[in-house]
Amino acid sequence: MTEAEDHKPPSDEARSAFTAPSGVEAAVAAVDGESSTTSEFAVPRGLDVSAPAEDESEGSAFSPPSTYSAREAPPAFTPPTGIPLVSLTKDVPWQDRMRTMLRMPVTERPAPEPVHKQDESGPAVPRVLDLTLRIGELLLAGGEGAEDVEAAMFAVCRSYGLDRCEPTVTFTLLSISYQPSLVDDPVTASRTVRRRGTDYTRLAAVFRLVQDLSDPETALSLEDAYRRLAEMRRNRHPYPGWVLTAAGGLLAGAASVLVGGDIVVFFAAALGAMLGDRLAWLCAGRGLPEFYQFTVAAMPPAAIGVVLTVADVNVKASAVITGGLFALLPGRALVAGVQDGLTGFYITAAARLLEVMYFFVGIVGGVLIVLYFGVKLGAELNPDTALSISKRPLWQIAAAVLLSLTFAVLLQQERSTVLLVSLNGGVAWSVYGAMHFVAGISPVASTAVAAGLVGLFGQLLSRYRFASALPYTTAAIGPLLPGSATYFGLLSIAQNKVDKGLVSLATAASLAMAIAIGVNLGSEISRLFLRVPGAAAGARRAAKRTRGF
């Protein structure tokens, strides 16, 4: 072999992909004759790899990094003291316990090991979610606030061991999602609320069912819960139709006495309200929407007031029309809408308030049509009579109690709650009268304070009975509803005094908002000072919001 052939480079076939190129120092040969080729997981040369200490175990993905210090823990890690455990006591209403947990982040909610009530397998998750949605549907259709509905749904799921669930409530849609763990697929179910009805007896029965489900000593099975739910749906209303019609008439008569009416005005307002109620039932049977039902129901009281004025009967026609409007004002929906807005459920609050606006526009339309024809017929309806309301404290307090009682009957409340809510309404009117007529305070401020007492007493009574607060508050705010301000605003508009009418309607809206905010504030004050579940700090956690940025 010649010298040129000795220096000839090797062929590509003879060169290995792992052979070090010329000019690069070859790696140290492996021990025991192993191949010198290295892996991509090999430690690079020049990196000091010291042996771990004897007291240190092998690191893992859950081990803290080398820069971690227990004294100066970075904010990205759990603080050295840990996250405080929330202790939920059992001697408080389930509404507070569930509301406390709903206002926590999901990672901080206590999730104990599930204890099945019947067997080791437990009920099927889809059936539990279906029961939860059915209970939430009855509560939302009955007028409960969105936060209370979510609390009830969360309580039902937790009673069957589904701790990692997230309920969501809007005005017409209920949904709930359950994820067993981070690696399992979530299960989601939803239900649409298409029909709404006012039956506080059924609402109280649903609250008792949720209370029994939340009590670990009751151990109510899923089949028993379904059976009780079916019985609630089959039960008839506690009061027949003719009782509701008579209650509507008495409510209108009592409202007319509040604004200065006499015995003739009482019966005239009662007759107009009963005629309006029957016409509304007829429209409902024909399938007309509620907007037209309110429009038709507002016409008979206004027509009777106009007829009495044209006939030169020496009565207060304005009190007749005002009394008829009291039975139609949507106070229940207004309070629920403002409550949802104050608790952060803005979509549901906007929908409820939009519903209130439609009802109010329907009432306005019905009354304006009658008043317009009354003015054309020469009826001398004077808006200035609003300033000459006679002060009869005993008669007005009795009328306020009667108004609350009849309002409770219209709401289909249990007979055991009617007396309490009637007394609550009488106290509310007494406070309003003392502040407005005696002390000379503005009607808006007086209404807000009286409504706050209604909410406070209603919340205390509901806690005493472990029930909903709606039956104790909704009927009690009846005497405070702005019926007279609404009527006089509409009358001014019918007489082409638009500016004066808008001012009166703005006053009515201010009174309505004062009622709603006062009721909600009274409820929050009761929760603020009563013992509630929580951590060592003892504070009830509110929904965390930004400060406008």
Side-chain angles (χ1 to χ4, degrees), residues 340-533:
D340 288 340
L342 294 176
T343 53
F345 294 84
Y346 301 113
I347 297 178
T348 308
R352 288 186 189 272
L353 294 178
L354 184 63
E355 180 188 38
V356 171
M357 187 192 73
Y358 271 102
F359 290 163
F360 189 76
V361 170
I363 297 171
V364 167
V367 175
L368 275 180
I369 291 173
V370 177
L371 292 181
Y372 177 78
F373 286 104
V375 171
K376 292 298 182 181
L377 292 175
E380 297 180 359
L381 299 170
N382 187 9
D384 295 333
T385 54
L387 304 176
S388 61
I389 297 178
S390 57
K391 301 175 183 178
R392 299 170 297 176
L394 296 180
W395 280 101
Q396 289 177 332
I397 292 175
V401 173
L402 178 61
L403 193 152
S404 299
L405 187 148
T406 52
F407 204 171
V409 173
L410 288 175
L411 294 174
Q412 302 281 0
Q413 292 190 196
E414 293 180 309
R415 292 178 174 85
S416 59
T417 64
V418 171
L419 179 59
L420 294 175
V421 74
S422 302
L423 296 177
N424 198 6
V427 171
W429 179 260
S430 301
V431 173
Y432 171 79
M435 294 183 64
H436 178 54
F437 297 116
V438 179
I441 302 176
S442 67
V444 176
S446 304
T447 301
V449 173
L453 289 178
V454 168
L456 178 61
F457 293 157
Q459 195 63 230
L460 293 175
L461 290 172
S462 68
R463 286 167 176 268
Y464 175 73
R465 298 199 171 195
F466 287 82
S468 172
L470 283 181
Y472 301 100
T473 57
T474 305
I477 64 173
L480 305 176
L481 292 176
S484 58
T486 303
Y487 161 67
F488 289 112
L490 299 179
L491 179 57
S492 298
I493 294 176
Q495 294 178 343
N496 291 327
K497 301 176 182 178
V498 180
D499 295 339
K500 189 175 181 179
L502 292 179
V503 170
S504 184
L505 290 180
T507 302
S510 301
L511 292 173
M513 293 297 292
I515 292 172
I517 295 176
V519 170
N520 182 263
L521 183 61
S523 301
E524 293 297 328
I525 289 175
S526 68
R527 298 193 188 105
L528 184 65
F529 290 102
L530 293 179
R531 187 175 67 169
V532 295

Side-chain angles (χ1 to χ4, degrees), residues 48-60:
D48 184 18
V49 183
S50 58
E54 295 181 0
D55 57 344
E56 293 183 1
S57 59
E58 184 179 358
S60 67

Side-chain angles (χ1 to χ4, degrees), residues 138-444:
L138 288 179
L139 293 176
L140 187 62
E144 275 289 348
E147 187 178 31
D148 294 326
V149 176
E150 283 194 358
M153 295 172 65
F154 192 71
V156 175
C157 285
R158 279 184 61 86
S159 64
Y160 291 106
L162 307 185
D163 299 301
R164 298 178 181 89
C165 62
E166 282 296 324
T168 303
V169 175
T170 59
F171 185 59
T172 58
L173 182 65
L174 299 167
S175 65
I176 188 166
S177 178
Y178 169 70
Q179 188 173 15
S181 65
L182 295 176
V183 297
D184 292 328
D185 295 331
V187 181
T188 303
S190 62
R191 194 174 184 89
T192 303
V193 180
R194 302 189 184 277
R195 295 187 60 186
R196 300 177 183 274
T198 303
D199 189 346
Y200 282 1
T201 300
R202 180 179 297 173
L203 190 69
V206 175
F207 263 74
R208 285 192 292 268
L209 174 60
V210 178
Q211 171 64 26
D212 292 341
L213 289 173
S214 304
D215 189 1
E217 298 179 357
T218 305
L220 192 65
S221 65
L222 192 64
E223 288 72 16
D224 292 337
Y226 267 109
R227 177 181 54 79
R228 288 179 57 176
L229 197 63
E231 291 176 356
M232 295 176 198
R233 291 182 175 275
R234 288 195 301 264
N235 283 347
R236 299 177 61 88
H237 296 304
Y239 307 103
W242 67 270
V243 173
L244 298 180
T245 301
L250 291 176
L251 187 151
S256 67
V257 174
L258 285 179
V259 293
D262 52 14
I263 188 65
V264 178
V265 172
F266 178 92
F267 285 105
L271 178 61
M274 288 190 290
L275 290 176
D277 180 76
R278 288 294 91 191
L279 288 176
W281 276 99
L282 180 63
C283 293
R286 297 292 181 178
L288 288 178
E290 284 184 303
F291 175 85
Y292 301 105
Q293 297 177 28
F294 274 80
T295 302
V296 172
M299 289 182 176
I304 291 179
V306 170
V307 169
L308 290 177
T309 303
V310 173
D312 250 349
V313 180
N314 188 18
V315 295
K316 233 178 171 181
S318 60
V320 176
I321 302 176
T322 299
L325 293 181
F326 263 83
L328 300 176
L329 295 177
R332 173 180 58 90
L334 176 67
V335 172
V338 174
Q339 178 183 357
D340 288 340
L342 294 176
T343 53
F345 294 84
Y346 301 113
I347 297 178
T348 308
R352 288 186 189 272
L353 294 178
L354 184 63
E355 180 188 38
V356 171
M357 187 192 73
Y358 271 102
F359 290 163
F360 189 76
V361 170
I363 297 171
V364 167
V367 175
L368 275 180
I369 291 173
V370 177
L371 292 181
Y372 177 78
F373 286 104
V375 171
K376 292 298 182 181
L377 292 175
E380 297 180 359
L381 299 170
N382 187 9
D384 295 333
T385 54
L387 304 176
S388 61
I389 297 178
S390 57
K391 301 175 183 178
R392 299 170 297 176
L394 296 180
W395 280 101
Q396 289 177 332
I397 292 175
V401 173
L402 178 61
L403 193 152
S404 299
L405 187 148
T406 52
F407 204 171
V409 173
L410 288 175
L411 294 174
Q412 302 281 0
Q413 292 190 196
E414 293 180 309
R415 292 178 174 85
S416 59
T417 64
V418 171
L419 179 59
L420 294 175
V421 74
S422 302
L423 296 177
N424 198 6
V427 171
W429 179 260
S430 301
V431 173
Y432 171 79
M435 294 183 64
H436 178 54
F437 297 116
V438 179
I441 302 176
S442 67
V444 176

